[in-house]
């Protein structure tokens, strides 16, 4: 085993005092202690170094797609960022190269054992033409958590943010300078080792591609409907549902097709006999309702218990709600909500609104949820496509993303 | 949505009478009804057609690696089988081409959402120089189950077996003709669609690569030790742990490194508060013990409840045990066994032997299992590396694989 892997393993093992044999009740706590991100600093091998960046510009620049014809994740910019890692040398010199195919041995471990993780983030053009990222440090931290969970290398988040900035600046002509438009960025890490043996990859590739995207709701909000899903299970305690791994996505597509065949855009993943509301697969879920006992208005979302993705938008909605809604009389809570509790609130007229939260749409209002053969009405009037809180959140977050409001979450390139 | 996908969806939906809203107790049954393999015949698009095969031979044949230097999954033969699929046209003409890199767009969905599944099977050279496969129909059926679960296309299993046969015959010089040696075959299917949108892939690649391998235990059996693992959970009811998806593998590597750091070769994945024994990640597990009440000798393995892989070797061990051990007074059972039950049997001297079963080693005897800080002794004497049943199973199965015993499981190419 190479010295880098040994160093990572040693760092991992420092958190173990004794073999992991514990009652199930403390499994989650133990898990958190066992599997935290390992700082790359633990290694003496080369770290990710932006000063070593080389840039090879394309000789065949693409024509821009008309803004109105942009489809999410279909067209890409002229260039990509590409950084190789090997267990022997650490991170190689970063390269910006023309957007191009990856050439990989058919035995590369990414094809067989899903050694792959990714991030979703966006670059925005503000009114002064400056390009901004939104909370990139959160994406970098999460990518490190994801990669270390599947024995892929970690990296210096600030260094990768800088390198992503170089790619975005080089390809900034692809960012339409209209509100709602942005450049979707997809940092991805894959294991490239050529072997069918199952073990920690000895080589990896970190690449970033960029795709110009239009507003999620080009003609204004359009509320979606969800199918509460219990026959398939997205994530579980002690699993990897809180990491942004490829492994969490392919298995959700068939249930999504099932839901679609019955007229529902997405699955609302329930968990356990209690049928706790977890998340929507590509979004976290927020519920605004009045407390059954006190009538207190509450904005509630599932807690980070290991079964839901630690959404950056989720975190932003929570922070803004605590800062700006609590003074207006709202309570904000991260707690488990049973689907039956939500259905009861709807029946009793206590459900105010429900919305998803994610990078693609910021917020996505929900009209109804199919549950046990019933349709739970989520509080929107018939002629209404978004509730007040969802609308407010979208405006607040978009204002920060596009630099209308100066805020530490906005990162000017 | 294309007609092929519509056809698949219609076939899927035939099994639904009503929305899936049921008590959790029947979730597993419902799951099985919802997610069975969809026969490719449901489509009017081109099926997999071996008569369309084209063969391009390499102009630079590789030198053979000395048999004793073979490492599992590291060296590959001269050629590979490669078959493209598109939602518009179905299966394209199969090609045997020189072993070569895959060239894929960096947005290909296999890199982001783990649209990937595979099989592991072997070709053996018998005493007459004939090449044989072992129960290839089981691998074909399982690959179809895996691919349809993640919205990848299905195919005619007999057609793929024939095509694999052509590859194996072309590269048969790579199969060492000594007992214990074989050609490991890796059929793999990946989603290749160029989009970051999460949905059913509109294009896929089915490829087969082949790697000559030596005996798993070149100098005779070497018993392994396992760490009973409860802090990480491999699979869950309603999940995909019974399919051979890439998604099931990467998340198991870190716990494997943890176990290795404490001197254990593999994890024994426990499930739930009852700590049921499930599988070893790359093998199923068999326990031979005397019944607590009756003293009856029993060979027991976990049932196919959706959380363990449906191993071909598992099925073979069960069938041979029912045919050849039951007449000798053994009972054979697929039932849930708690780790505590196994530990108790060991303590009371009722544990006869424990072994893993999988394609790589056929059987893999277990010396001890770490559980709650104790070492459970699995019944081997100190100078013994395999128990009687494991040894017997290896000889029976190997005898069929190499054609010493004429048996319907052996498929002569």
């Amino acid at each position: 085993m190479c010295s880098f892997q040994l160093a990572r393993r040693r760092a991992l093992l420092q958190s173990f005092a004794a073999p992991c044999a514990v009652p199930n009740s403390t499994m989650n706590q133990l898990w958190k202690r066992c599997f935290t991100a390992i700082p790359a600093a633990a290694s003496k091998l080369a770290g990710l170094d932006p000063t070593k960046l080389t840039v090879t510009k394309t000789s065949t620049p693409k024509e821009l797609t008309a803004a109105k014809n942009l489809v999410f994740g279909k067209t890409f910019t002229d260039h990509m960022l590409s950084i190789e890692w090997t267990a022997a040398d650490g991170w190689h010199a970063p390269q910006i190269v023309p957007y191009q195919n990856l050439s990989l041995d058919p035995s590369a471990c990414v094809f067989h054992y899903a050694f792959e993780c990714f991030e979703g983030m966006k670059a925005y053009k503000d009114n002064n033409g400056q390009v901004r990222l939104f909370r990139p440090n959160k994406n970098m931290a999460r990518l490190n958590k994801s990669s270390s969970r599947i024995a892929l290398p970690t990296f210096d988040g600030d260094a990768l943010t800088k390198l992503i900035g170089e790619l975005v600046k080089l390809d900034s002509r692809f960012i339409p300078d209209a509100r709602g438009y942005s450049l979707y960025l997809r940092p991805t890490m894959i294991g490239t080792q050529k072997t069918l043996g199952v073990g920690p990859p000895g080589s990896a590739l970190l690449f970033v591609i960029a795709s110009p995207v239009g507003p999620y709701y080009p003609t204004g909000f359009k509320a979606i409907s969800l199918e509460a899903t219990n026959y398939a299970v997205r994530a579980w305690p002690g699993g990897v549902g809180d990491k942004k791994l490829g492994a969490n996505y392919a298995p959700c597509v068939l249930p999504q097709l099932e839901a679609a065949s019955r007229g529902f855009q997405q699955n609302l993943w329930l968990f356990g006999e209690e049928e706790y509301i977890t998340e929507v697969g590509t979004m976290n879920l927020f519920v605004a309702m009045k407390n059954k006992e006190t009538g207190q208005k509450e904005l509630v979302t599932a807690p980070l218990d290991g079964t839901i993705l630690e959404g950056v938008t989720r975190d932003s909605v929570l922070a803004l709600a605590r800062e700006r809604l609590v003074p207006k009389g709202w309570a904000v809570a991260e707690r488990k909500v049973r689907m039956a509790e939500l259905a009861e609130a709807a029946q009793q007229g206590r459900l105010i609104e429900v919305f998803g939260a994610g990078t693609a749409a910021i917020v996505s209002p929900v009209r109804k949820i199919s549950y046990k053969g019933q349709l739970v009405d989520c509080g929107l009037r018939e002629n209404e496509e978004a509730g007040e809180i969802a609308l407010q959140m979208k405006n607040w977050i978009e204002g920060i993303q596009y630099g209308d409001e100066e805020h530490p979450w906005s990162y000017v390139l």
Side-chain angles (χ1 to χ4, degrees), chain A:
Chain A
M1 184 173 281
C2 70
S3 65
F4 181 78
Q5 284 172 343
L6 274 179
R8 282 167 69 201
R9 225 173 70 178
R10 263 198 302 274
L12 258 175
L13 297 183
Q14 282 169 1
S15 53
F16 287 91
C20 286
V22 291
N24 277 296
S25 57
T26 58
M27 193 177 73
N28 264 335
Q29 286 70 14
L30 180 63
W31 175 263
K32 278 180 187 159
R33 203 147 51 82
C34 291
F35 294 96
T36 50
I38 312 312
S43 157
K44 281 179 184 161
L45 298 176
L48 190 54
D49 185 353
T51 67
K52 290 188 179 153
L53 175 67
T54 62
V55 178
T56 309
K57 288 193 189 171
T58 182
S59 57
T60 54
K62 294 174 184 170
E63 272 192 45
L64 296 183
T65 304
K68 66 175 170 51
N69 294 333
L70 291 173
V71 176
F72 174 78
K74 278 273 190 195
T75 55
F76 296 89
T77 63
D78 281 337
H79 300 92
M80 63 190 287
L81 175 64
S82 177
I83 318 162
E84 289 186 40
W85 175 90
T86 56
D89 301 319
W91 288 105
H92 294 210
Q95 296 182 297
I96 287 177
V97 293
Y99 186 93
Q100 61 192 267
N101 274 15
L102 306 180
S103 177
L104 292 167
D105 193 279
S107 71
C109 61
V110 64
F111 295 129
H112 302 270
Y113 307 128
F115 284 103
E116 56 188 79
C117 54
F118 67 94
E119 276 302 316
M121 52 198 292
K122 286 177 171 176
Y124 311 84
K125 222 172 236 178
D126 70 17
N127 286 330
N128 304 320
Q130 280 182 309
V131 181
R132 295 164 175 264
L133 302 177
F134 181 70
R135 309 188 76 185
N137 55 323
K138 300 287 281 183
N139 297 96
M140 298 301 109
R142 191 171 59 182
L143 187 53
N144 269 317
K145 278 193 199 178
S146 299
S147 68
S148 61
R149 179 59 187 84
I150 51 171
L152 286 173
T154 54
F155 57 89
D156 177 335
D158 290 341
L160 185 58
T161 300
K162 258 185 212 157
L163 289 163
I164 290 174
E166 293 306 315
L167 174 68
V168 170
K169 281 188 276 186
L170 182 62
D171 280 346
S172 64
R173 70 183 182 95
F174 285 87
I175 316 177
D177 55 357
R179 176 58 59 104
Y181 288 84
S182 59
L183 187 63
Y184 181 84
L185 300 164
R186 173 57 63 94
T188 309
M189 204 191 305
I190 60 175
T192 56
Q193 182 153 9
K194 299 184 255 183
T195 174
L196 298 181
V198 179
S203 62
L205 179 70
L206 171 53
F207 66 87
V208 183
I209 53 178
S211 172
V213 291
Y216 200 83
Y217 297 107
T219 57
F221 276 118
K222 184 89 187 80
I224 61 170
S225 291
L226 307 176
E227 183 170 273
T229 303
N230 64 358
Y231 66 91
V233 177
R234 195 195 81 94
W236 52 85
V240 293
D242 57 340
K243 306 296 186 295
K244 218 160 170 68
L245 306 183
N248 290 323
Y249 289 81
C252 291
V253 167
L254 210 55
Q256 187 186 323
L257 289 176
E258 292 304 318
S261 75
R262 291 185 282 269
F264 301 96
Q265 281 87 349
Q266 295 281 343
N267 305 84
L268 173 55
W269 299 102
L270 305 184
F271 184 77
E273 293 196 2
E274 300 86 355
E275 302 189 314
Y276 289 121
I277 292 170
T278 64
E279 62 155 279
V280 184
T282 53
M283 294 190 291
N284 294 111
L285 197 81
F286 282 84
V287 177
M289 60 183 168
K290 284 186 188 149
N291 186 284
K292 191 176 178 180
E293 271 81 41
T294 63
Q296 162 78 44
K297 286 191 290 184
E298 291 177 334
L299 185 64
V300 184
T301 195
L304 301 177
D305 69 346
T307 66
I308 65 165
L309 192 77
E310 301 180 11
V312 177
T313 309
R314 174 189 179 279
D315 187 82
S316 305
V317 167
L318 280 172
L320 290 170
R322 284 177 178 134
E323 182 191 291
R324 303 179 188 187
L325 293 181
V326 169
K328 291 184 186 167
W330 283 79
V332 176
E334 295 169 73
R335 70 167 171 89
K336 297 198 176 199
V337 175
R338 297 178 59 203
M339 185 59 211
E341 186 184 339
L342 188 146
E344 191 196 41
Q347 213 168 23
Q348 297 177 350
R350 291 184 290 106
L351 188 58
I352 303 169
E353 63 180 281
V354 176
F355 59 91
T359 295
I362 305 178
V363 294
S364 197
V366 177
R367 182 172 300 285
K368 54 193 180 197
I369 302 172
S370 165
Y371 174 59
K372 299 200 171 175
Q374 306 286 318
L375 282 178
V376 176
D377 184 319
C378 294
L380 292 176
R381 281 185 292 272
E382 227 173 275
N383 61 351
E384 202 180 42
E385 296 295 335
E388 263 181 56
I389 301 297
L391 207 55
Q392 183 67 84
M393 281 297 165
K394 177 176 182 270
N395 289 337
W396 282 337
I397 293 175
E398 215 169 60
I400 297 169
Q401 287 170 337
Y402 286 88
D404 302 344
E405 178 187 341
E406 274 306 324
H407 195 284
W409 287 349
S410 190
Y411 178 98
V412 180
L413 291 180

